[in-house]
């Protein structure tokens, strides 16, 4: 089975492909993705943004398309940066800039609890079929650790692994991560054998 | 660094080696292991058995030696089979026989909560230096799933993975498992860089 996806994020795309490698499914970027005006992510929640993106891009896809909205919710920041995770340090901010800003905001803060959240919306011809959720709990480190993953992964300490998502292997991260959970929930919904 | 270990369990040995592959450490079976009369595991707890084994075998080792005692604690069985996990269905019982008996005992039981527990004791010349603990929570399935791992792994559903330890990759199982936790705690204790 082939499913279209819509993301400009290379890290997400890598994870989509890694998960597909073990399943009877093929994730393909929407061919028109880079030529379309980007979808404005004006939602107040991951769910709203995922729905906006899947609805918009699926108008340009044949068949089913999914979009992912995800980010980091830090307890001591009242759930921030949340939907602003990718642009925390400004529009088109680098992962490094976002990580640096997060460490600044948490300087001297002892409550380091945080969670990664992912919502995937599956849509066809502009209509959302269903959304799928994933979340994983961790702690924000004092400095980045590891070169794997992307985004806030090097700062996200996952206690069961005893290391950060930046240190974990891509396969093991995906086995427990917010995005892995949401992707597997979508595949389970689409049918057995996927 | 080389550490001697003492186990007759091929599954445990595989996991010791897999963990060592990513670390600056080398686990070697105690050369005399198979020629020595086996250590009687008469303890009432994993801790006691790990201490008994490490104390006994380290008398025959040069330098540090560690031994692992581990098993499955099932909520509905009052923590059993516990230290009797390996011999649940009788002395020298196969994994299959133990798994079958566990399913029989849990037939019609809705509370499927269970945890794997591991205690590793590190000893030198008969004296225990320290013990290290690991535990991981899961649920007992209605039937075995997956061909990886050993022991009760195919029946142990680990929610963050969305699959059983028998279905998880060896690397990802070790990243979260009771044994992985205890081994990493021992290496952390032995010093940085391991």
């Amino acid at each position: 089975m082939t499913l279209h996806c819509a993301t400009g994020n290379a890290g997400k795309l890598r994870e989509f492909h890694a998960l597909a490698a073990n399943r009877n499914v093929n994730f393909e970027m929407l061919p028109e993705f880079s030529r379309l005006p980007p979808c404005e992510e004006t939602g107040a929640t991951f769910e709203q943004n995922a729905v906006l993106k899947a609805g918009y891009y699926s108008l340009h896809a044949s068949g089913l398309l999914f979009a992912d909205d995800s980010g980091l919710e830090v307890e001591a920041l009242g759930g921030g940066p949340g939907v602003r995770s990718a642009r925390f340090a400004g529009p088109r901010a680098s992962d490094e800039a976002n990580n640096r800003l997060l460490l600044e905001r948490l300087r001297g803060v002892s409550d380091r609890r945080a969670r990664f959240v992912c919502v995937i919306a599956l849509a066809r011809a502009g209509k959302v079929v269903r959304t799928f959720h994933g979340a994983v709990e961790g702690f924000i480190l004092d400095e980045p650790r590891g070169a794997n993953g992307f985004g806030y992964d090097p700062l996200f300490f996952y206690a069961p692994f005893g290391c950060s998502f930046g240190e974990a292997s891509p396969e093991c991260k995906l086995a427990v991560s917010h995005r892995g959970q949401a992707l597997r929930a979508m595949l389970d919904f689409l049918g057995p054998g996927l």
Side-chain angles (χ1 to χ4, degrees), chain A:
Chain A
M1 177 185 208
T2 293
L3 273 181
H4 279 119
C5 57
T7 182
N9 183 312
K12 289 185 186 178
L13 201 59
R14 258 199 323 272
E15 296 193 350
F16 296 160
H17 286 315
L19 194 117
N22 295 319
R23 302 284 194 131
N24 191 19
V25 67
N26 186 25
F27 297 137
E28 265 181 27
M29 270 289 280
L30 175 67
E32 290 81 359
F33 180 77
S34 58
R35 290 194 297 274
L36 289 168
C39 176
E40 299 283 338
E41 304 188 17
T42 54
T45 63
F46 297 116
E47 170 106 14
Q48 289 169 9
N49 278 335
V51 162
L52 280 172
K53 288 189 276 191
Y56 170 73
Y57 290 113
S58 69
L59 287 171
H60 303 273
S62 60
L64 289 163
L65 174 140
F66 72 96
D68 154 312
D69 200 59
S70 46
L72 184 69
E73 294 183 343
V74 178
E75 201 71 24
L77 301 180
V83 292
R84 298 182 56 247
S85 292
R87 53 185 189 277
F88 190 31
R92 288 179 298 283
S94 68
D95 286 350
E96 290 68 26
N98 286 328
N99 277 274
R100 220 162 30 233
L101 180 58
L102 179 61
L103 286 181
E104 269 170 39
R105 292 284 168 84
L106 293 180
R107 194 173 296 149
V109 175
S110 59
D111 179 357
R112 314 292 291 195
R113 288 173 297 161
R115 81 188 61 81
F116 272 127
V117 177
C118 175
V119 179
I120 285 179
L122 183 69
R124 186 198 300 270
K127 286 207 164 48
V128 168
V129 176
R130 182 136 162 186
T131 60
F132 307 93
H133 295 237
V136 59
E137 307 281 335
F139 300 92
I140 303 302
L141 292 165
D142 288 327
E143 51 182 28
R145 281 171 47 179
N148 293 338
F150 64 99
Y152 298 93
D153 283 349
L155 290 180
F156 189 83
F157 183 84
Y158 183 62
F161 286 171
C163 70
S164 79
F165 268 5
E167 295 171 301
S169 75
E171 183 201 1
C172 295
K173 179 200 159 186
L174 204 58
V176 298
S177 76
H178 53 313
R179 185 164 300 106
Q181 291 172 39
L183 282 167
R184 286 191 298 273
M186 177 177 71
L187 296 184
D188 289 347
F189 167 77
L190 286 170
L194 285 187

